Amino acid sequence: MTSEKVMQKASPENKNGFTAAMKNFFRRFAAGCRTALRVFCGWFGFGVFGGFSNKRRKKVFFDVITYTLLVIGGITMIYPFWWMFAASLSADYQTLLNVKFWPENVSTQFGLFYHYGNAIDLLNATWQTVTIGGTAYAFWRSVINTLLYSLVPVTIGVMTSAAAAFAFAKLDFKGKNFVFFYCLAAIMVPFPSIMIAQFCVYSAIGWTDNGLALIIPGCFGAILTAFFIRQYLYGLPTSILEAARIDGAGYWRQFTSFVIPLAKPAIMAQFILSFMGSWNNYLAPQVFITEDMWKPLTLAIGQLDTSYGSDRTNAPAVMAASVLALLPILVLFAIFQKTIIGSIMLTGSKE
Amino acid sequence: MDNRNVSLPQDAAAVQATEFAAPPVARKKRINRAKLQENIWGWIFVSALFIGTTVFTYVALVLSVWISLTNYDAFIMTTFWEGLGTLHPEGAFYWYKFMFSAEGPFGVAGESADFWGTLGTTCFYLIGIPIGMVLSLGIAVLMTRDIKGSGVFRVIYYIPTVASTVSIAIMWTNLFGSNGFITQLLGVNFITGEGATYWTQRWCIIILTVWKGLGGTVVLFVAGLNGVNASYHEAAEIDGANAWQIFWRITMPQLYPTIFYVLVTSVIGGMQIFAEPDLVFNGYPVAGNQATNGTRFNTPFVGFIYGNFEQGEWAHASALGIVLAVIIFLLTLIQFGLDSRREKI
C-alpha cells in the first residue's frame, strides 16, 4: 500500500512526456484493479494479493454456489414429474403441449380427473377379451397382475436370498466361496441372451399362459439381493449368534429369530427395491406373457401408448395412465426413502 | 473356528456325556458332527439360490447355445422338442455366419449391416455412462460438503431412479416430441418433425438414461465420499495441498472402488438397453432387413434380438443373444484386466 502511494506521489513530478504518463496511468490502473479484486475476493473470503482469507465467508460463498447448483439439478429431477401430472389434467392434446406449470384449460367439462377414467376405458377397449361377468376390467386386472408379480416372488425371493446371505456371511461350510462366486458370475449373463431359451421351456410347460413364468423364477432369490444382505450381516456382531448357539439354538432358529430381526433394515430395503424392480419390469413380461389376461400394468401402458400413439388426442389419457403406474412407487419411495437410501449407502460404501 | 465348535452343545445329554464320561474319540466325533451340521445347514440355506441360479441362468444359457445351433423357427415348428431335435441343416454355426456376412444380391443371406448398426447404436447409448458419472460425481461432491439439507437433495435426485421406465418414456415422448415442452424451450425437434435426425433421437435417449440413472450413482458416490478417510485430508491440508490437489490425489484414489463398481454395472446394464428406445420410438420395425433406413439406426441390440424373437426366428435370436453375452463378458473382462493392471502400478 505504501509503495503505491509513493509511486503515485512521485509520478507527477517526473515529467517525461506522454510515454511516462501512459506508463504511470497503467501502473495506477493495474494497482487499482488489484485492490478492487482484493476487496472483491476478500469479501467472499479469499485471500488474494496479500489480502486476508476468511474461512467463514469462503464457506458461505461456496454454500451459495452449492445450493444454486443443487436446486437447479433438483428442479430438473422433479419438474418432469410435475409436468406429467399437469399434462394428465389438461383438456386436450393442444393444451398438453403448452403446459408449463398448470394447464391453461383443464378438463372441467367432465371433471378434473376425466382422463384417468378415460385411460381405463381406453385400455378396456383395447383388451376386450379381459372380462369378468361380461364387463371389461383390463386395467384393474393388469393392476392385480402387477401386484401378483411384484408381491409373491419378491417376498419369497427376498427370504431365500436372506437365507443364502446368512449362510454366506455367518456360516462356514465347504464350497462356500465356490457357491458365492458361482452365483455372482451369473450377473454377467445378460437376460436378453437367455430369455429365448427360458421362453421356450416356459411355454413348453405352460407357464406363459398364466403368469407363472414371472412368479416362479423370482421365488428362488437373486444373488444381488443376497449380496447386499450379506454385506449388512458382516457388520453385525457374530457374538450374538454364538451366544444363541451356545444356548442351544439350531441354525434354523438362529436364522428366523436372530438374523431376520437383526437384518430387518437391509431386508426391508431389498424388499422394496426388488418390489420396485418387478413393478417397473418391462422386457420380461413383454417376452414371457402372451395372454392379455395376465399382462401387467407396464405392458398395459405400453399398449395404450402404441395403440393410441398415432392418435394424439388421447395423449392426456396416456399420460394419466403413466401417472397411475408411477404413483404407487412414488408413495412407497416417499414412505421408505430413509431405509432405501440408507441401505444403498451402507452397502455401497462397503464394496 | 474349531474352538468355537467344541463349545457348541447340541443337546444337554451330549454335553453331559462329553463332560463326564466321553473318551477322547467321542469328543473328536462330536466336533465333526457339529462341523457336518454347519456344512449341511449352509448348503440348505444356499440351496434355493443355488438351484435357481443353476436352472434359470446356467441351464438356460446352455440351452440358448444349443438353440442357437439349430434352425428353430416358431412359425414352422410347433413344439419345443421338434425345434431342439436337429442342428441347422446348413451347418451348426449357420446363424453365427449369417450375422457376420453381408447381405448379397442373389440368395446370399446375411445381415451384417443390421448387426453392426444395432450394436453401434447400443454402444452409442453407452456415451451416457461417462456423462452420468462425471455429473453425479460433481453432485456427490457438492452434497458431501457441510451443508444443511443434503439428505433432502439425495431423496430428490433418487426419485427418477425408482420411477417406472414406461411412464418416464411416455413422458419423454411428450416432452421431446414435436411441439413438446423441450422443443418449444430449445427450438430443436428431437424425435419427429423438422430437423430431427437419428442423432437427435439418440441424444434424446441418452438424456433420458442419464437423467434417470443419476440418482443411484449419486447415492453410491456420496457413500464412497463419506467413506474416504478424513485424516488423509487433514494431513494433506497441513502439508499445504490445495483443494484441487486433495481431490485428485487423496479423494479419487479412495473413491476408485466405487467408480469401478458403478462403471462395471452400468456397462453391463447399458449394453442391455431396450425399454427406453422401444417406448420412445413406439416399437421398432426391427427384424432383419425389414427395417427402414430411418428407424433402424435407433434400434439397440436387444431390440434387434427382440425383433427376431417376435418374428419367430428363435434360433437366430438365440445366436444374437449369445453374441451379446460374449460381448458383455469380454467388456467386463477388459474392465477387470485394466483394474488389475492399475493395482500393480
Side-chain angles (χ1 to χ4, degrees):
Chain A
M1 202 69 188
T2 48
S3 63
E4 283 160 28
K5 271 185 181 169
V6 168
M7 270 199 294
Q8 281 169 21
K9 265 186 184 172
S11 52
E13 293 166 8
N14 189 5
K15 293 169 185 166
N16 269 353
F18 182 69
T19 336
M22 281 306 283
K23 226 178 187 175
N24 210 9
F25 171 74
F26 277 118
R27 195 176 291 156
R28 229 192 280 170
F29 182 71
C33 280
R34 240 163 51 152
T35 314
L37 200 64
R38 187 176 59 199
V39 169
F40 181 73
C41 292
W43 193 80
F44 291 113
F46 292 94
V48 288
F49 302 130
F52 291 104
S53 69
N54 183 332
K55 264 205 165 158
R56 206 173 52 83
R57 285 200 160 176
K58 204 192 250 181
K59 182 169 165 20
V60 169
F61 173 69
F62 277 123
D63 276 2
V64 168
I65 291 181
T66 305
Y67 276 119
T68 314
L69 289 176
L70 284 181
V71 165
I72 290 171
I75 290 169
T76 320
M77 295 289 143
I78 290 282
Y79 177 73
F81 292 105
W82 175 255
W83 185 89
M84 189 174 178
F85 177 66
S88 73
L89 300 180
S90 52
D92 49 43
Y93 181 55
Q94 200 49 48
T95 322
L96 179 143
L97 286 176
N98 294 323
V99 167
K100 297 286 178 288
F101 293 99
W102 191 253
E104 297 154 1
N105 184 12
V106 292
S107 47
T108 44
Q109 193 184 348
F110 305 102
L112 193 59
F113 293 99
Y114 163 70
H115 285 295
Y116 288 80
N118 195 14
I120 295 170
D121 292 341
L122 283 178
L123 190 77
N124 289 348
T126 317
W127 289 344
Q128 286 172 342
T129 50
V130 187
T131 52
I132 183 165
T135 48
Y137 74 125
F139 183 83
W140 295 113
R141 177 70 197 211
S142 69
V143 172
I144 292 168
N145 287 339
T146 309
L147 281 175
L148 186 69
Y149 301 150
S150 314
L151 282 177
V152 176
V154 166
T155 313
I156 301 173
V158 167
M159 279 304 141
T160 50
S161 304
F166 167 54
F168 287 138
K170 297 292 180 195
L171 296 185
D172 187 35
F173 58 97
K174 246 182 206 148
K176 181 168 88 167
N177 285 333
F178 164 73
V179 176
F180 183 67
F181 286 108
Y182 175 82
C183 294
L184 203 61
I187 298 172
M188 272 194 299
V189 179
F191 174 70
S193 54
I194 55 174
M195 67 186 183
I196 292 139
Q198 286 182 343
F199 179 79
C200 291
V201 177
Y202 294 162
S203 61
I205 55 181
W207 283 4
T208 50
D209 303 331
N210 48 21
L212 280 178
L214 288 179
I215 295 175
I216 304 283
C219 294
F220 285 87
I223 180 61
L224 275 180
T225 313
F227 182 76
F228 281 120
I229 298 174
R230 184 188 86 129
Q231 298 291 94
Y232 187 86
L233 286 177
Y234 271 141
L236 291 179
T238 314
S239 54
I240 299 171
L241 292 177
E242 270 169 19
R245 226 169 281 184
I246 290 163
D247 287 348
Y251 289 102
W252 180 252
R253 186 74 196 283
Q254 284 172 35
F255 176 64
T256 50
S257 46
F258 290 91
V259 173
I260 291 181
L262 285 174
K264 208 173 159 192
I267 292 175
M268 272 307 280
Q270 285 304 317
F271 174 80
I272 295 157
L273 283 175
S274 315
F275 179 85
M276 288 170 172
S278 303
W279 184 283
N280 297 336
N281 200 350
Y282 181 71
L283 180 57
Q286 182 147 353
V287 173
F288 290 151
I289 305 298
T290 48
E291 300 286 317
D292 288 347
M293 190 75 159
W294 290 95
K295 281 181 179 168
L297 195 56
T298 46
L299 286 194
I301 289 161
Q303 179 67 44
L304 261 189
D305 190 38
T306 41
S307 17
Y308 297 101
S310 49
D311 185 10
R312 291 271 100 192
T313 51
N314 284 311
V318 177
M319 292 301 283
S322 330
V323 172
L324 285 179
L326 200 61
L327 216 55
I329 291 296
L330 289 188
V331 169
L332 208 63
F333 178 66
I335 296 169
F336 292 106
Q337 42 91 6
K338 218 167 208 172
T339 321
I340 294 169
I341 291 183
S343 156
I344 292 166
M345 290 189 61
L346 191 74
T347 44
S349 61
K350 281 182 188 169
E351 289 297 333
Chain B
M1 271 302 183
D2 288 330
N3 214 3
R4 192 190 63 200
N5 289 332
V6 174
S7 62
L8 281 185
Q10 293 307 318
D11 51 352
V15 175
Q16 284 184 348
T18 45
E19 275 180 1
F20 299 112
V25 184
R27 175 171 284 243
K28 200 175 174 201
K29 228 178 182 176
R30 242 185 49 69
I31 294 167
N32 288 342
R33 217 185 71 193
K35 195 83 206 114
L36 184 72
Q37 204 167 24
E38 193 166 1
N39 269 321
I40 289 170
W41 275 102
W43 276 99
I44 288 172
F45 280 128
V46 296
S47 59
L49 186 64
F50 183 73
I51 293 168
T53 313
T54 310
V55 172
F56 296 112
T57 307
Y58 289 113
V59 171
L61 188 65
V62 171
L63 205 60
S64 270
V65 174
W66 179 256
I67 291 171
S68 75
L69 303 178
T70 65
N71 189 19
Y72 190 4
D73 192 315
F75 295 158
I76 299 169
M77 295 159 204
T78 45
T79 66
F80 177 49
W81 306 113
E82 196 184 338
L84 278 188
T86 50
L87 294 178
H88 197 281
E90 295 178 39
F93 296 103
Y94 173 77
W95 291 114
Y96 294 96
K97 284 178 199 153
F98 179 74
M99 69 178 81
F100 288 114
S101 52
E103 188 182 342
F106 301 107
V108 186
E111 49 162 16
S112 64
D114 280 330
F115 177 82
W116 293 114
T118 49
L119 194 60
T121 308
T122 297
C123 291
F124 188 78
Y125 288 142
L126 291 185
I127 291 175
I129 294 172
I131 296 173
M133 278 172 77
V134 170
L135 274 178
S136 49
L137 188 60
I139 292 166
V141 167
L142 291 181
M143 276 185 190
T144 43
R145 295 191 75 247
D146 186 23
I147 56 166
K148 283 200 180 80
S150 66
V152 177
F153 282 117
R154 226 152 42 206
V155 171
I156 288 173
Y157 281 74
Y158 203 71
I159 290 175
T161 307
V162 298
S164 160
T165 314
V166 181
S167 304
I168 284 178
I170 288 169
M171 172 172 81
W172 230 248
T173 48
N174 284 313
L175 274 176
F176 283 75
S178 58
N179 292 323
F181 179 74
I182 300 289
T183 312
Q184 289 178 20
L185 202 72
L186 302 178
V188 182
N189 275 319
F190 273 95
I191 297 175
T192 51
E194 199 183 334
T197 61
Y198 58 89
W199 291 107
T200 57
Q201 292 179 339
R202 285 175 183 184
W203 276 108
C204 170
I205 298 296
I206 288 174
I207 294 166
L208 194 162
T209 49
V210 167
W211 179 79
K212 193 173 183 335
L214 207 60
T217 326
V218 164
V219 169
L220 282 176
F221 278 151
V222 167
L225 286 171
N226 284 341
V228 166
N229 202 332
S231 58
Y232 288 112
H233 279 192
E234 281 163 23
E237 221 166 287
I238 287 164
D239 286 349
N242 60 30
W244 190 250
Q245 281 169 328
I246 289 176
F247 179 74
W248 283 107
R249 301 280 169 83
I250 311 273
T251 310
M252 281 303 269
Q254 290 194 61
L255 198 61
Y256 181 80
T258 313
I259 294 175
F260 182 70
Y261 170 77
V262 170
L263 187 69
V264 170
T265 48
S266 346
V267 168
I268 291 178
M271 288 301 290
Q272 301 178 39
I273 185 170
F274 170 76
E276 292 90 346
D278 179 48
L279 287 156
V280 169
F281 304 128
N282 270 333
Y284 321 106
V286 253
N289 305 326
Q290 293 193 342
T292 54
N293 274 343
T295 44
R296 84 170 166 202
F297 291 118
N298 296 315
T299 308
F301 197 70
V302 177
F304 189 41
I305 296 174
Y306 182 75
N308 282 313
F309 169 75
E310 283 272 273
Q311 293 228 320
E313 296 184 358
W314 289 356
H316 184 184
S318 280
L320 289 168
I322 296 301
V323 170
L324 177 72
V326 170
I327 291 169
I328 287 179
F329 179 71
L330 287 180
L331 282 177
T332 315
L333 216 60
I334 290 169
Q335 286 171 25
F336 273 98
L338 291 176
D339 182 46
S340 68
R341 242 178 70 191
R342 181 195 158 274
E343 299 289 308
K344 269 184 227 156
I345 292 167

